[in-house]
Amino acid sequence: MILELEVLLEDKPGTLIGLLTPISENNCNIQGIYHGQKREDDNTIPVYLKFEVEDSKYRKVIDVLEQRFVELNIQVLKFAPADLKGKDDSSKNRAV
């Protein structure tokens, strides 16, 4: 299953690795990550992450990440399965 995660991380050393560690430890495959610029008003950084988790580990990964959100004071904007609509229809995106 592919999940999308959008969060605001505090701008301090170790926060991003703290978020990524449980994903790595559970053999999830990170497909993409975007790290934005610091927001001056609240000293946070927007991060978008897309990763694949084995179906058998889905619940465990969700539980571990939700605990990590609390521990690191991570504000979650989105945490849901990726919208894969149209992914299999590659003919629409081919150059002519």
Side-chain angles (χ1 to χ4, degrees), residues 33-61:
I33 187 168
Y34 171 78
H35 182 286
Q37 298 295 317
K38 181 168 74 169
R39 297 173 5 151
E40 296 297 330
D41 58 333
D42 61 1
N43 199 42
T44 61
I45 298 173
V47 175
Y48 167 80
L49 181 64
K50 188 173 183 179
F51 63 98
E52 185 174 7
V53 59
E54 294 175 26
D55 290 342
S56 63
K57 293 186 177 186
Y58 172 77
R59 185 73 256 165
K60 179 182 178 185
V61 170

Side-chain angles (χ1 to χ4, degrees), residues 13-30:
T15 329
L16 181 59
I17 195 69
L19 174 65
L20 297 177
T21 298
I23 294 170
S24 173
E25 288 173 344
N26 285 283
N27 297 318
C28 298
N29 182 30
I30 295 177

Side-chain angles (χ1 to χ4, degrees), residues 61-73:
V61 170
I62 297 297
D63 291 344
V64 169
L65 283 174
E66 287 177 344
Q67 181 179 354
R68 190 59 57 99
F69 299 153
V70 173
E71 291 170 358
L72 297 176
N73 193 30

Side-chain angles (χ1 to χ4, degrees), residues 79-96:
F79 191 27
D83 179 12
L84 300 176
K85 186 169 66 172
K87 180 178 171 112
D88 293 332
D89 190 7
S90 59
S91 63
K92 291 182 181 178
N93 296 322
R94 278 191 232 160
V96 179

